[in-house]
Amino acid sequence: MEGKGILIVLSGFSGAGKGTLVKELLKRYDDYALSVSMTTRAPREGERDGVEYFFTDRKSFEDTIKNNGLIEYAPYCGNYYGTPKAYVEEQMAAGKNVILEIELQGALKIKEKFPESLLIFVTPPSAGELKRRLTQRGTESSEAIAGRLARAAEESEGIEAYDYIVVNDSIDRCVEEIHMLVNASRRAPVRNEAFIDEIRKQLQSFVKGAE
Ligand code: 5GP
């Protein structure tokens, strides 16, 4: 079977716990790589440039778009967010499963460009729990929280575009569930075309040899 990594899109409402899940996944398994996005949003306390995001201004972001340096980008709550192309290509070539932690519009663009990518939507067990987590995080004003909840309501309309949904009620269980979905997806025929072609060719040569 091919050892090629797959492109994984992980989306979910802001506050669904995607960041924690991804960190834990990377800690447990070495076959994943996380793409670091570029954003015009200001860093939150404790966020470092080049780690959580590449923080940049609008002008540099727009230049990167012009130079074809992003696989996808989208506006979100007044800021731009985008996926730098080079890192994703390098890591995929090295056989890693590359994770893009991006929102719905970006996810749809990725699915269009790379139909064999795997789209997973992470959600908290309930809307009440989401509101509680956003408030508890304490990093955003009540206005920003209201904006993120409004955006969550919009995004909930797009959930059917994803291949799977994962309910984040326990980090431990969720990490294993995501890992299982990824491994199962790697076994889909669409992601193993070279292997299938090869086995078909070999079978044909046996059939011909027996004639
Ligand atoms: P936050 O400001 O909470 O870090 O991120 C806001 C939203 O932007 C999240 O839903 C996150 O997944 C999404 N996001 C982060 N990076 C990217 C990106 O490169 N492209 C797109 N389309 N969305 C992103």
Side-chain angles (χ1 to χ4, degrees):
M1 292 284 264
E2 280 157 81
K4 224 173 87 186
I6 62 173
L7 194 56
I8 304 158
V9 171
L10 205 67
S11 300
F13 309 127
S14 177
K18 284 165 294 172
T20 318
L21 284 175
V22 170
K23 262 189 217 140
E24 193 54 37
L25 196 61
L26 293 172
K27 216 181 343 170
R28 287 187 198 181
Y29 303 102
D30 64 6
D31 41 359
Y32 293 93
L34 174 65
S35 155
V36 178
S37 295
M38 186 179 262
T39 184
T40 59
R41 161 167 86 59
R44 293 192 187 117
E45 209 180 306
E47 286 184 334
R48 293 144 298 169
D49 189 38
V51 180
E52 281 79 13
Y53 283 106
F54 294 106
F55 295 100
T56 185
D57 56 25
R58 228 176 163 83
K59 164 89 177 64
S60 312
F61 196 101
E62 282 165 357
D63 286 346
T64 313
I65 297 173
K66 268 188 223 138
N67 297 330
N68 201 21
L70 300 176
I71 301 185
E72 63 73 39
Y73 66 93
Y76 182 96
C77 293
N79 286 299
Y80 270 138
Y81 294 79
T83 306
K85 193 191 268 179
Y87 181 81
V88 173
E89 288 180 348
E90 272 163 31
Q91 296 298 316
M92 295 270 298
K96 299 272 186 187
N97 298 311
V98 179
I99 304 173
L100 309 183
E101 198 202 307
I102 64 178
E103 51 64 73
L104 173 66
Q105 298 164 68
L108 297 178
K109 277 184 219 154
I110 292 291
K111 192 73 186 179
E112 201 182 298
K113 273 195 181 169
F114 309 97
E116 72 289 358
S117 56
L118 173 68
L119 270 60
I120 299 177
F121 194 90
V122 181
T123 166
S126 69
E129 175 63 15
L130 180 69
K131 191 173 176 195
R132 196 184 62 77
R133 287 186 198 175
L134 278 173
T135 313
Q136 241 180 16
R137 185 154 77 180
T139 51
E140 258 106 345
S141 64
S142 56
E143 207 183 13
I145 292 172
R148 280 171 183 259
L149 283 172
R151 179 60 186 237
E154 274 171 40
E155 285 201 321
S156 71
E157 296 298 324
I159 296 179
E160 284 89 345
Y162 289 77
D163 297 308
Y164 297 103
I165 67 168
V166 166
V167 177
N168 186 8
D169 45 8
S170 134
I171 295 287
D172 189 49
R173 196 193 56 74
C174 258
V175 168
E176 293 311 317
E177 195 166 294
I178 292 172
H179 188 57
M180 182 199 72
L181 291 172
V182 170
N183 282 334
S185 299
R186 287 178 77 160
R187 300 287 171 265
V190 66
R191 297 184 184 92
N192 291 280
E193 281 170 351
F195 174 82
I196 297 167
D197 281 351
E198 186 54 35
I199 209 161
R200 275 190 187 136
K201 252 188 248 146
Q202 288 174 353
L203 285 168
Q204 282 306 328
S205 72
F206 291 157
V207 172
K208 279 198 190 109
E211 274 169 6

